[in-house]
Amino acid sequence: MSSEEKKLHNTTAASAIKEDGDVQIISSASSTSETNNSSNKSTSRESISTNSTGILRMRRKSSRASSGGSGDNPPMSNTESGRSASSPVDDARDPEQNRKVCMLRGAMIVTLLTATVAVATLVYLYVTRDEERNFQTQYQDSVSKVAEAFQYGIDTKHDAASTFSAIYTSIYGNIVQEVENQQPVWPNATLPFFAEKAKDLLKISNGRALSFNPIITQDVNRLEWEAHATESAWLLGDKSLIVPPPDLTWPNNRTVSFGIYSRDADRNVVYDPGFAPGSRYEDVLVPVWQIHPIKTNEKAVMFNLHSEKNRQRALDDMLEYEVPTLTAILQLVQDSETRPSSILFFPVFDNFETPEDFPVFDNVGMPIVNGTNVVGSISIVFSWDTLLQRILPNYIKGMICVLQSSTGQVYSYSVSGNDVTFLGEGDKHDPKYDKYKEVVQATLGNTAEQIGQVDYLITYTLVMYPSQTFENEYVTNRAGIYTAGVVLIFLCTSALFLLYDYLVEDRQQKTARFARQSANIVDAMFPAGFRERLYKSHQNNNNNNSGSKANSRRSSDNDTATVKASNRTNGENRSRSQSPSRRRSSTMGRKIVTLQIDKFMKGTRSAPKDHIPTNYSNGDDDKPIADLFLDTSIMFADIVGFTKWSTERSPNEVFTLLERLFWEFDELAAQHNVFKLGTIGDCYIAVTGIPNPIEDHASLLTQFSFAAREKVREVCAQLDAEGLDTLKLDMRFGIHSGAITAGILRGTKSRFELFGDTINTASRMESTSVGGKIQVSAETAELIKLDRRGKWLVKRDGMITAKGKGELQTYWAEPNPVGSRVSFSDEALDHLPDDNFNKLESQESDRYYQHEYDKQEEKEGLSADEKV
């Protein structure tokens, strides 16, 4: 038996010892017998198995002699009554122990069931509470975002209107006029370049329209202002307000010169009578004068805002309290569908309030009396849904916002991420979420501090609730799934326990039956006293053998380490007289490296920078994963005409060609057992013989090249039919065979690399090839001939000149070549006897591998002592 076979047998025996203590002596005896005397191993094993088992297992004490015996067993003498009563047979037949085992099984099952219920309940409660807590956290966070954004939207509109009001006062204020010794202009104020000043403020406020509306008194200044409006209409930015287009009819051809207008009960345009019934300021008119954007709003110019009830109340509040106000919810004429909107009115004053300690003087040094009156208003039209847009993250869905005004109007929205959906008039939230109600009150600047609580001002409240959609995002059936998973795990565990218990019980029953049979044999063979002494003697020998085995194992480990070291040394100093097949078998260390490389090629291994090995004193684990592969072939394939073609094509078309072509190559590589090394631009690189040696690696790579060339033509024809003009493209191939250093270059992005002159030569084979041709080197051709495929080869006319290589003789590879054959053809090989062919093949291969090995030794610079 060889050392490998012995090692395998000892390993098997050791496994048997660990698995079953009942056959300990059988395994040990069998192993010892086979090691010492292999010629009689069967007989020795059977003998020791029979005797040792009986000696080890039969320890029970029978009292059948004293009781007279029973059954078919003859009565035993009193001299046999000294045997121990603690044998496995008696244990197996002990009812008390069986009862205890059954009780233990029952307790275990009850424990498992109790644990299942307890853990499942805890998991369900934990997951449920966690989801509920997450739901409430997300809801409160969303409430904070919506409340903040809602108030921020009101504040930006208030600040924009306040800024624009200050612009009018700063230009046309009475103090300014007196300082410049001019008469007050109110209400005849028209701001030049209104649109340029208003557009940025309107954008900031996220409003739909911004306008200036002067305060006109019917019997005081109406006619004067209408005359001013007619003269200043050219500043409004719309010619149709001065000269109506000829294709328009009444009332669309109305101009500024028509005067202030309103609508009667039938919604007809009429000249405003100058009287607002029900208003606190019946003779006041508030016409729209300058507005941005003027497009789509030009017909609103000269419309009396004070003539409509929904706007009248807010204007009256502004005039009375001199504070900004909001109208009730309106439906604008521009909106075909329901879209709740409102108007913010901000008062324009004739003067700024100045502190009494800092009086203002006119141009002659007289103090100007300080006082403020509302002479106009800045209005910003907006829709309420804009205040709720772009607030919540996209994962928040179904938050219900109910808009309520102090006039009793109620409208509902659903907010999901950036989108706002109008649900309709009224409160549309689900009553089951009333406990999550959150309220935010909209405020207009410091209005409350200025005038306190009054009955007239219109206020707004936003009430927020979650919805079923919102809750479903966080409260899911995950608790039930986790609970079912826990129950399933426990049930499987219980089933495995019961199965294991059944198998153990069955095994014990079989062991007990075998022990009873052995006991009967031992009882018949040995008297009781001798049985005890023989058992004790065997027990002592067994203990001694255990110590010997431990020492033997330690010695065996040392021997194995010595053998491994010897194999590694022998592998590094291989004799030059070895055959190629011997070289390919390699040493134990090379097998390990090859397996590591193969594992890396199946899944890239990355290493942190701080794990880069700095020394190699700790064994093989930290050494570079690299090796020399003597029998490899490498192929370079490049698309002819690709550079010119790609410059005339879009990136999508270029990558369509490369992806489709190289995808086909990858499929072929998998079919031909070829390893794809990678691509460089339009160059495809493949190799055979790595990581696992392949006898016909050169022929295999050549066959792959044949198939790849056909795929090139097939793919180019398909893409040409799609309009990519690829018929003029072709591919050239170059193959060379030789030794390659391969390994894993470890780092943050570990990669598989090849090094060696073989790669350079293969690249030269490709660069000197011709489109549609497969050029192989002389070394590859020799290997193809040795594989009895010389009919593929056609010698290339003349020598080629390769960079760094000089002149080389190469061959064309064709599956069905036409032309002169190479000198070493299949026909010549077929006429050689097998022995001569094998001898010739061996000689050629030996010369080739010897040459490669010599080059490797010369490159490594091995000394004479190292070679020995």
Side-chain angles (χ1 to χ4, degrees), residues 21 217 286-287 385 399 428 431 560 577 616 689 698 705-706 745 807 817 828:
T217 305
V286 186
D385 58 274
M399 185 171 183
K428 302 296 183 181
T560 302
S577 61
Y616 304 122
S705 301
F706 293 155
L745 204 57
E807 292 188 347

Side-chain angles (χ1 to χ4, degrees), residues 402-445:
V402 180
L403 180 66
Q404 300 176 350
S405 72
S406 57
T407 60
Q409 296 170 300
V410 180
Y411 294 90
S412 297
Y413 298 90
S414 174
V415 183
S416 299
N418 292 330
D419 300 327
V420 179
T421 304
F422 177 65
L423 299 180
E425 187 174 359
D427 191 340
K428 302 296 183 181
H429 86 280
D430 191 338
K432 75 175 184 179
Y433 295 106
D434 285 346
K435 63 180 180 180
Y436 297 106
K437 178 181 179 180
E438 298 287 345
V439 181
V440 57
Q441 180 75 40
T443 60
L444 278 174

Side-chain angles (χ1 to χ4, degrees), residues 485-547:
V486 170
V487 173
L488 183 61
I489 290 173
F490 273 90
L491 290 178
C492 292
T493 303
S494 302
L496 290 175
F497 167 75
L498 295 176
L499 178 61
Y500 172 77
D501 183 70
Y502 169 77
L503 294 176
V504 170
E505 178 66 20
D506 182 67
R507 176 185 171 191
Q508 289 178 346
Q509 292 294 334
K510 292 179 180 178
T511 303
R513 286 195 299 270
F514 179 76
R516 285 194 293 269
Q517 294 173 0
S518 301
N520 292 334
I521 296 175
V522 174
D523 287 347
M525 292 177 60
F526 302 102
F530 286 94
R531 286 198 298 269
E532 291 295 331
R533 292 164 58 186
L534 186 61
Y535 171 75
K536 291 179 181 179
S537 175
H538 190 81
Q539 185 67 34
N540 292 333
N541 290 337
N542 188 40
N543 293 335
N544 293 334
N545 288 338
S546 299

Side-chain angles (χ1 to χ4, degrees), residues 461-477:
T461 301
L462 189 69
V463 185
M464 293 162 283
Y465 304 91
S467 65
Q468 188 66 53
T469 302
F470 190 105
E471 184 179 14
N472 290 342
E473 291 291 322
Y474 303 98
V475 180
T476 64
N477 58 350

